[in-house]
Amino acid sequence: MTSPVSTFGALAIIAVTALCTFVTRAVPFAFFGGKKGSPAWITYLGQVLPPAIIAILVVYCLRGITPTSYPFGIPELVSVAVAAVLQKYKHNNLLSILCSTVLYMFLVQTVFHS
Amino acid sequence: MTKSRHLAAIRAAFPLTVPVLCGYFFTGMAFGLLMYSGGYPWYWAALCSVCIYAGSMQFVAVNFFAGGFHLLQVALMTLAVNIRHMFYGISFIDRFAAMGKKKLYMIFSLTDETYSLLCSAKVPQGVDEHAFLFWIALLDQLYWIAGTLAGCIAGALIPFDTTGIDFAMTALFTVILVEQMEDKNNRLPALLGAAAALVGLLVFGADSFLIPSLLAATVLLLLCRSRLHKGGER
């Protein structure tokens, strides 16, 4: 495993993340101003990339699961299912996140405690 | 004169921002708790919420602090995760340009939630438009910062077992994905993304699949453009 970054490392990470975030927000003001609008392929990526990236991030969050050994990713999969079902029927972000996180904490701290 | 102008703008802006207050305060709190449970000092968390100010991205950034990331990876991931923001500004090019010194802050603070508020907000009569838009943006960020600090404080004051609290991030992305799937047009891109991630995970392993998968998904989506193109819908 890697060790946590130093204060300087953290400042560098925050600076780079902040700068790149600002760049994504500033792009239209720098390039797409005026009458021409943005190129078609950029508009296309803007529509299709967000769902693809969020799907990748969900997999990224679940990357630590080991399906072949105890607890087989059961706490993760059950909690993700609860979050998804709650969101599907209630459409309340806060409720879905809170309930599934509390459930997950309960599962890993008591039921699947090793 | 300017003081009363701002007071009037705050009074008009605040009611509109209440839904964001609820969402940001508690999501910010989850971020603060997550940083606290990772053992990072509260001012790193605060600095993130002041300088980065991007919900999902800050949750991803928590992973960066654990070490093992090159700054170039940090930059690529940030650009990828936040690329949707590129499209928010398009609707505000002219409006922000007229705001003078406030323009930079308006661009900086254009999060998903602030964007949607600004899109729908109608300036009440007798209220200065620029001050009104500015206060919507600033109030939103203040909620986010307050939530972050509350999360750090809660973590320090209420000693409870935080094992598993990082699932809040998984839950957040799951919730966003479910909402996106409501739109049929998003289903195939999400499926392509999931496939790119799973294949990447198998090929590159858990520690290094993210960037290859993001790149693969982008290329795949560009290749599928003729099939997926929605001809200016939405």
Side-chain angles (χ1 to χ4, degrees), chain B residues 138-168:
Chain B
L138 184 59
L139 282 174
D140 284 356
Q141 189 178 14
L142 292 177
Y143 305 149
W144 180 248
I145 296 169
T148 304
L149 291 175
C152 297
I153 293 169
L157 289 188
I158 315 162
F160 59 96
D161 188 350
T162 54
T163 309
I165 198 158
D166 51 334
F167 186 81

Side-chain angles (χ1 to χ4, degrees), chain A residues 6-23:
Chain A
S6 62
T7 302
F8 179 77
L11 287 178
I13 286 168
I14 294 173
V16 168
T17 310
L19 187 73
C20 292
T21 301
F22 183 78
V23 164

Side-chain angles (χ1 to χ4, degrees), chain A residues 36-59:
Chain A
K36 286 192 71 185
S38 43
W41 67 274
I42 288 277
T43 314
Y44 166 74
L45 275 187
Q47 289 177 347
V48 295
L49 261 187
I53 286 170
I54 294 297
I56 293 173
L57 286 177
V58 171
V59 176

Side-chain angles (χ1 to χ4, degrees), chain B residues 105-188:
Chain B
Y105 182 75
M106 295 308 291
I107 297 174
F108 160 79
S109 61
L110 204 53
T111 60
D112 308 65
E113 285 75 7
T114 300
Y115 168 75
S116 56
L117 279 189
L118 292 180
C119 279
S120 54
K122 295 208 168 43
V123 192
Q125 210 155 30
V127 174
D128 180 82
E129 186 196 354
H130 296 162
F132 176 69
L133 298 178
F134 174 72
W135 275 103
I136 290 179
L138 184 59
L139 282 174
D140 284 356
Q141 189 178 14
L142 292 177
Y143 305 149
W144 180 248
I145 296 169
T148 304
L149 291 175
C152 297
I153 293 169
L157 289 188
I158 315 162
F160 59 96
D161 188 350
T162 54
T163 309
I165 198 158
D166 51 334
F167 186 81
M169 174 167 74
T170 317
L172 172 71
F173 293 137
T174 304
V175 160
I176 297 174
L177 187 63
V178 169
E179 284 304 316
Q180 287 174 335
M181 297 290 249
E182 296 280 303
D183 182 347
K184 280 199 185 101
N185 290 324
N186 285 334
R187 290 182 191 162
L188 204 56

Side-chain angles (χ1 to χ4, degrees), chain B residues 22-47:
Chain B
C22 302
Y24 270 18
F25 189 82
F26 289 103
T27 317
M29 205 164 154
F31 172 72
L33 265 174
L34 205 57
M35 288 290 285
Y36 179 84
S37 68
Y40 308 119
W42 64 270
Y43 48 86
W44 289 14
L47 207 58

